[in-house]
Amino acid sequence: MTTQSAHRLAGRRILLGISAGIAAYKSAQLARLLKQSGCEVRVVMTEGAQAFITPLTLQALTGEPVRTSLLDPEAEAGMGHIELARWAETILIAPATADLMARLAQGMADDLLTTLCLASDAEKMMAPAMNQAMWRHVATQRNVERLAQDGWRLLGPASGDQACGDVGPGRMLEPEAIMAELILPNREIAHGQAALGGEMPARGLHVVITAGPTREPLDPVRYLSNHSSGKMGFALAAAAAELGARVSLISGPVILPTPAGVERTDVETARQMHEASRLLAADCDIFIGCAAVADYRAEAVAEHKIKKTEGEEALSLRLIKNPDIIADIAKLRDTSGGRPLVVGFAAETRELETYARDKLERKRLDMIVANDVSTAGLGFGADDNAALLLWRDGEGEGGASLPPQPKSELARAVIERALGCLTSRPVH
Ligand code: PMT
């Protein structure tokens, strides 16, 4: 976060709620960052949270007494809970456990934190943190929907290794990412949330998107890769989330923040991206392959750094083919009752339409987004892009040319077209 954006938080009255997750240790860093940004911070901890981090730590970091109980006459004599509810401009709960989310979704007020949430008109945000199976559970997803409808903004969760040994969505966003989300205007909202009166045509759908490059190691210090920045794929993820979808973003190595409400899985190689895609696409409605996947990898990765050999002017590397991720997902579609709709990209430097049509056919895609990556200021690394969309759906074949525009706008058009294809495709 830049100093300028941190200043936008100065003086903001933030009530930081902490519930009982292992991620509670990160809340100390979050409290510190909030204070550094000039926020006024009051901390409320649930009973269970105190098993993970002590109120004393938070008190030392914020310089304010930490509230832990609704029925505490001494604390109530200071700032009563209703006063505290009125004081807060923002209620930020991090971590928010599955249990706390369930209680809030039900409108319960059985401890201080839930009571404050009911009693306060403040802007409300939470950073969920739980085991991946708990996050995916239909009951939790139902609560996510309900909380979003009630005006909660969900920050994350992120995806990756979990404390319990599982891998998947449910990790609390890092404190720095939560800080970045805090300064976003309300329109940048998480999946399933009513977009301030906007339409949510993707509500209830699961969209999986690959983004960025892959890295194929040659030795411990070198790799083969390409210039993809991830911007196009991340813009697609943000657009799908804004339209109400649950979004799983599988990203190669990029330096971009995760869009609000998007579950992110980080990978390095094409084979890792392939594995994550197969796992997540198993229950998705739309799969979009925007990643620039390396077609080849080194047949053998050297255990030690490859050395220059005196007298030899050339070095030969033997490369072998990587799996074609999107073609495999399209095959999966053929065996699982017509799901998902598969959207590919084609990065071309000549004969855009010819090569794109060939990929549409050969990889058995429903739609392809063809971009000319030889045009300066568009495609790889740029903020803008232009594309030719080709598709076939229940109404036959179609096409549209999208002129140069910001990737965020192009992404929205692509998602809307994919939703159109999904609606009109024949039922299998
Ligand atoms: O990331 P940015 O800097 O914003 O740039 C965006 C972009 C130019 C990378 C993006 O718009 C784009 O064109 N992505 C696809 C790049 C690519 O690898 O295209 P391709 O024509 O080589 O591949 C065709 C399709 O097959 C793509 O959907 C690709 O994800 C997929 N593929 C390719 C190889 C492979 N082994 N597995 C795949 O799934």
Side-chain angles (χ1 to χ4, degrees), residues 217-219 224 297-300 302 306 314-320:
L218 299 175
D219 68 13
L224 296 172
R297 67 176 184 277
E299 183 174 38
I306 300 170
L315 169 73
S316 295
L317 288 172
R318 191 173 151 75
L319 302 179
I320 54 170

Side-chain angles (χ1 to χ4, degrees), residues 228-230 232 289-291 295 323 325-326 345 347 359 363 371 381 407:
S228 171
S229 63
M232 190 67 242
C290 182
D295 285 323
I325 301 170
I326 204 155
F345 269 67
K359 280 176 187 163
K363 299 187 184 226
N371 43 187
K407 282 181 176 168

Side-chain angles (χ1 to χ4, degrees), residues 76-276:
E76 285 292 305
M79 190 190 262
H81 67 274
I82 297 294
E83 258 178 284
L84 189 55
R86 289 194 192 124
W87 171 86
E89 287 176 286
T90 299
I91 294 182
L92 167 64
I93 303 182
T97 59
D99 172 70
L100 181 69
M101 289 173 70
R103 288 189 288 129
L104 288 170
Q106 292 304 313
M108 289 173 72
D110 54 353
D111 64 4
L112 178 61
L113 186 53
T114 49
T115 304
L116 288 169
C117 291
L118 269 194
S120 178
D121 290 333
E123 161 192 46
K124 298 190 182 78
M125 307 179 190
M126 64 169 70
M130 66 197 73
N131 164 269
Q132 55 84 23
M134 292 170 78
W135 170 255
R136 290 184 208 270
H137 196 283
V138 62
T140 304
Q141 288 305 310
R142 198 167 50 230
N143 294 332
V144 167
E145 288 280 324
R146 169 56 67 88
L147 290 165
Q149 283 160 11
D150 290 353
W152 281 88
R153 190 170 141 200
L154 270 81
L155 315 180
S159 195
D161 292 336
Q162 302 202 305
C164 55
D166 281 6
V167 180
R171 282 166 61 103
M172 188 174 100
L173 286 191
E174 293 303 321
E176 291 75 10
I178 295 177
M179 293 297 290
E181 297 270 2
L182 261 182
I183 58 159
L184 282 176
N186 258 347
R187 67 175 185 81
E188 308 253 5
I189 50 177
H191 106 79
Q193 295 184 252
L196 301 178
E199 280 186 42
M200 307 290 279
R203 178 174 297 228
L205 297 179
H206 180 201
V207 179
V208 176
I209 299 167
T210 66
T214 63
R215 268 184 197 170
E216 310 301 325
L218 299 175
D219 68 13
V221 296
R222 302 186 181 93
Y223 54 81
L224 296 172
S225 191
N226 58 64
H227 294 296
S228 171
S229 63
K231 287 179 187 173
M232 190 67 242
F234 277 57
L236 288 163
E242 281 173 17
L243 291 173
R246 175 187 155 214
V247 182
S248 302
L249 175 64
I250 304 167
S251 177
V254 298
I255 38 169
L256 293 174
T258 310
V262 167
E263 297 166 14
R264 172 170 170 180
T265 303
D266 287 321
V267 297
E268 292 249 334
T269 65
R271 282 188 294 174
Q272 288 167 355
M273 188 172 273
H274 185 227
E275 195 182 321

